[in-house]
Amino acid sequence: MELDTLFRVVDVTGVVASGLLGGALARSKRFDIVGFVTLAIITGLGGGMIRDVLLSSGFPVALTDPAYLAGALTAAVVAYVVRLDGTWPRRSLVVADVLALGCWSATGTIKAATLGLAVLPSIMLGVITAVGGGMLRDVLVGKTPTVFGGNTLYASLAALGSVEALVCMKVFGRPDLGMLVAILTTTILGMLARRLGWMLP
Amino acid sequence: MELDTLFRVVDVTGVVASGLLGGALARSKRFDIVGFVTLAIITGLGGGMIRDVLLSSGFPVALTDPAYLAGALTAAVVAYVVRLDGTWPRRSLVVADVLALGCWSATGTIKAATLGLAVLPSIMLGVITAVGGGMLRDVLVGKTPTVFGGNTLYASLAALGSVEALVCMKVFGRPDLGMLVAILTTTILGMLARRLGWMLP
Amino acid sequence: MELDTLFRVVDVTGVVASGLLGGALARSKRFDIVGFVTLAIITGLGGGMIRDVLLSSGFPVALTDPAYLAGALTAAVVAYVVRLDGTWPRRSLVVADVLALGCWSATGTIKAATLGLAVLPSIMLGVITAVGGGMLRDVLVGKTPTVFGGNTLYASLAALGSVEALVCMKVFGRPDLGMLVAILTTTILGMLARRLGWMLP
């Protein structure tokens, strides 16, 4: 499988996972179907769209690659039809959430670095890609974004994933390895952090 | 009248109407004149600016065509000077609101499709153009955006208007007809929905 | 010192000042270190990034000039380590705040006018540059943005600074003078407004 295809598959998986999380929030707020669709799109595609707008390099990929919007809409419909509140659905969503975190921090950082940005801005864009959609979603429903603290590790994991992806890309010339490492790290550490209640000072 | 001129006139009418709505909100929140201007600009121009930023095709039209900013500022001043809370002003604002909804869903969709986007993203951009300014305004004053549910049809009408505009443009090659149909549909259905309390599930 | 260098130095000073304000807010909200960094970046760089995205002229300067991000991160760390709540730290922050207001309204307006925008949009972009970061910050932590009213002069000073900068640039061909005048005006009037409780109607 080519690198671009791999990135795309993992990326869209993250979109579906985040879209389900957005839909689950819409259910808890008793929104109508429009609310499900809006929150799924914003949670699933918001971070990448902020990244692409900041990188100002043509249309955001969420508008040109049909798989992204289709993934978010599918997630909205699934979340609308199926109640995702059993033990296993909840656990799967948690895993999907930290998996998307790693995937997006890696793709965001690699895209920014490929376009010529320096180290710090590339990492910042990785973090924005990973947590931007969730922040937008939280603000839209009137919550203080969870990235600000009082929650377990989230943006800090995205920063770690971004650094790893950048190292793998710049030092070893292996962005694909960077994505793998970033996903593994955020998923494992993210699960541990939730289980053990790790927090930043 | 040429098509571009028609689009522009209807578009700016929508800006003034939405600007008045933004100003009316500023009055209800007892904001000062800066609050009136800010809310009028954001309600009237926000959706189009989000659209143009996502389409990344040069300056947003709100910054280059002086009629847009002038329309929003005029609306802010009018809303600041005149109390728009009699029966007829209220009714006029309701009509103007659903009229702008149809107009902006059509112009947004047609602009996106003209720039080469596929069907789904074009519709999404039509809806963003139509409801984005109102969402921004609601978030800025700390309200949960009304598009999320619990209100009568709004974003769903924008989606309908976007589909109609796209069909008229792609199937019949008549974007002007698309705008007319979209405006008529959202205005008539929007008034009926408010009168009869229609809601989405 | 060349004009570009002067602009850059004053601009980054504003970034550090606003970043400290963002960090102080993070402390009052008991956020963790990620919250400090996020609020410092958003307060310090948000207005300029909105401006650059709206002007769609390549990468935002906050992503390409390393001094900007470094300034915001430094401010976050300082605000995290040092409690800025004595009398003199507070006073310094107030001065820094109105100084950044003047600086950013001038740089925003001059950048927009240099790129060919007309008078009104240029002034609007100056105001957005000056108050956009603070608005974003307020929305993210769930406050009604202070620019809407009930506070002393803020956005109105930014508008005044923008007009002055534009006059100095267009009439006298002296953007550097414009920045100086804008900074002096917003600083002096801003301090007086706070001391004397001036408000808009």
Side-chain angles (χ1 to χ4, degrees):
Chain A
M1 189 153 62
E2 279 187 34
L3 189 61
D4 281 357
T5 316
L6 174 72
F7 272 34
R8 192 180 170 218
V9 168
V10 184
D11 224 27
V12 173
T13 309
V15 169
V16 175
S18 290
L20 289 172
L21 286 167
L25 181 59
R27 177 179 296 279
S28 79
K29 294 267 175 184
R30 302 175 171 277
F31 289 158
D32 63 24
I33 180 70
V34 170
F36 278 76
V37 169
T38 311
L39 284 187
I41 287 179
I42 284 170
T43 315
L45 306 177
M49 291 207 283
I50 298 175
R51 175 201 62 205
D52 289 344
V53 163
L54 285 174
L55 289 176
S56 57
S57 49
F59 291 142
V61 65
L63 297 182
T64 50
D65 184 336
Y68 285 78
L69 202 45
L73 289 175
T74 307
V77 171
V78 169
Y80 186 72
V81 174
V82 184
R83 292 181 66 89
L84 301 160
D85 57 358
T87 304
W88 284 104
R90 276 179 190 280
R91 286 190 188 163
S92 313
L93 282 181
V94 168
V95 177
D97 190 27
V98 284
L99 192 145
L101 199 66
C103 158
W104 288 345
S105 59
T107 48
T109 305
I110 290 166
K111 183 164 189 177
T114 307
L115 285 168
L117 285 185
V119 168
L120 267 184
S122 297
I123 291 170
M124 187 176 89
L125 278 170
V127 176
I128 288 175
T129 310
V131 309
M135 279 179 76
L136 260 187
R137 176 201 60 206
D138 289 344
V139 167
L140 281 173
V141 303
K143 282 172 52 183
T144 298
T146 45
V147 299
F148 283 139
N151 67 325
T152 55
L153 312 183
Y154 203 76
S156 38
L157 287 179
L160 180 59
S162 300
V163 170
E164 292 169 345
L166 202 60
V167 168
C168 289
M169 178 192 172
K170 296 254 189 189
V171 179
F172 306 112
R174 291 285 302 271
D176 53 339
L177 197 71
M179 174 174 275
L180 187 70
V181 171
I183 289 177
L184 284 177
T185 317
T186 58
T187 306
I188 294 170
L189 290 182
M191 308 278 291
L192 280 174
R194 289 183 187 218
R195 171 77 55 179
L196 305 173
W198 289 345
M199 287 201 190
L200 286 184
Chain B
M1 189 153 60
E2 278 187 35
L3 190 60
D4 281 359
T5 317
L6 175 72
F7 273 36
R8 193 182 168 218
V9 168
V10 185
D11 225 27
V12 172
T13 308
V15 169
V16 175
S18 289
L20 289 173
L21 286 167
L25 181 60
R27 177 180 296 276
S28 79
K29 294 267 175 185
R30 301 176 171 275
F31 290 158
D32 63 24
I33 180 70
V34 170
F36 278 75
V37 169
T38 312
L39 285 187
I41 287 178
I42 284 169
T43 315
L45 306 178
M49 292 206 282
I50 298 175
R51 175 201 62 203
D52 288 345
V53 163
L54 284 174
L55 290 175
S56 57
S57 49
F59 291 141
V61 65
L63 297 182
T64 50
D65 184 335
Y68 285 79
L69 203 45
L73 290 176
T74 306
V77 171
V78 169
Y80 186 72
V81 175
V82 185
R83 294 180 67 89
L84 301 161
D85 57 358
T87 304
W88 284 105
R90 276 178 190 282
R91 286 190 189 163
S92 313
L93 282 180
V94 168
V95 176
D97 190 27
V98 284
L99 192 145
L101 199 65
C103 158
W104 288 345
S105 60
T107 47
T109 306
I110 290 167
K111 183 163 189 178
T114 306
L115 285 168
L117 286 185
V119 168
L120 267 184
S122 297
I123 292 169
M124 187 177 89
L125 279 170
V127 176
I128 288 175
T129 311
V131 309
M135 280 180 76
L136 261 187
R137 175 201 60 205
D138 289 345
V139 167
L140 281 174
V141 301
K143 282 171 54 182
T144 299
T146 44
V147 300
F148 282 139
N151 68 324
T152 55
L153 312 182
Y154 203 75
S156 38
L157 287 180
L160 179 60
S162 301
V163 171
E164 292 171 343
L166 203 59
V167 168
C168 289
M169 178 192 172
K170 296 254 189 190
V171 179
F172 305 112
R174 292 285 303 271
D176 52 340
L177 196 70
M179 173 173 276
L180 186 70
V181 172
I183 289 178
L184 284 178
T185 318
T186 58
T187 306
I188 294 171
L189 290 182
M191 308 276 293
L192 280 173
R194 288 183 187 218
R195 171 78 54 175
L196 304 173
W198 288 346
M199 287 200 190
L200 285 184
Chain C
M1 189 153 62
E2 278 187 35
L3 190 60
D4 281 358
T5 316
L6 174 72
F7 273 34
R8 192 180 169 218
V9 168
V10 185
D11 225 25
V12 173
T13 309
V15 169
V16 174
S18 289
L20 289 172
L21 286 168
L25 181 60
R27 178 180 296 276
S28 78
K29 294 267 175 184
R30 301 175 170 278
F31 289 157
D32 63 23
I33 180 69
V34 170
F36 278 75
V37 169
T38 312
L39 284 188
I41 288 179
I42 284 170
T43 315
L45 306 177
M49 291 208 283
I50 298 175
R51 175 201 61 203
D52 288 345
V53 163
L54 285 174
L55 289 176
S56 57
S57 48
F59 291 141
V61 65
L63 298 181
T64 49
D65 184 335
Y68 285 78
L69 203 45
L73 290 175
T74 306
V77 171
V78 169
Y80 186 73
V81 174
V82 184
R83 294 180 66 89
L84 301 161
D85 56 0
T87 304
W88 284 105
R90 275 178 192 280
R91 285 190 188 165
S92 313
L93 282 180
V94 167
V95 176
D97 190 27
V98 284
L99 192 145
L101 198 67
C103 159
W104 288 346
S105 60
T107 48
T109 306
I110 290 166
K111 184 165 188 177
T114 306
L115 285 168
L117 285 186
V119 168
L120 267 185
S122 297
I123 291 169
M124 188 177 88
L125 279 169
V127 176
I128 289 175
T129 311
V131 308
M135 279 179 76
L136 260 187
R137 175 201 61 204
D138 289 344
V139 167
L140 281 173
V141 302
K143 280 172 54 182
T144 299
T146 43
V147 299
F148 281 139
N151 68 325
T152 55
L153 311 182
Y154 202 76
S156 38
L157 286 180
L160 179 60
S162 300
V163 170
E164 291 170 344
L166 203 61
V167 167
C168 289
M169 178 192 172
K170 296 255 187 186
V171 180
F172 305 112
R174 292 286 302 274
D176 53 340
L177 196 71
M179 174 174 276
L180 186 70
V181 172
I183 290 178
L184 284 179
T185 317
T186 58
T187 306
I188 294 171
L189 290 182
M191 308 278 291
L192 281 174
R194 289 183 187 217
R195 172 76 55 177
L196 305 174
W198 289 345
M199 287 199 189
L200 285 184

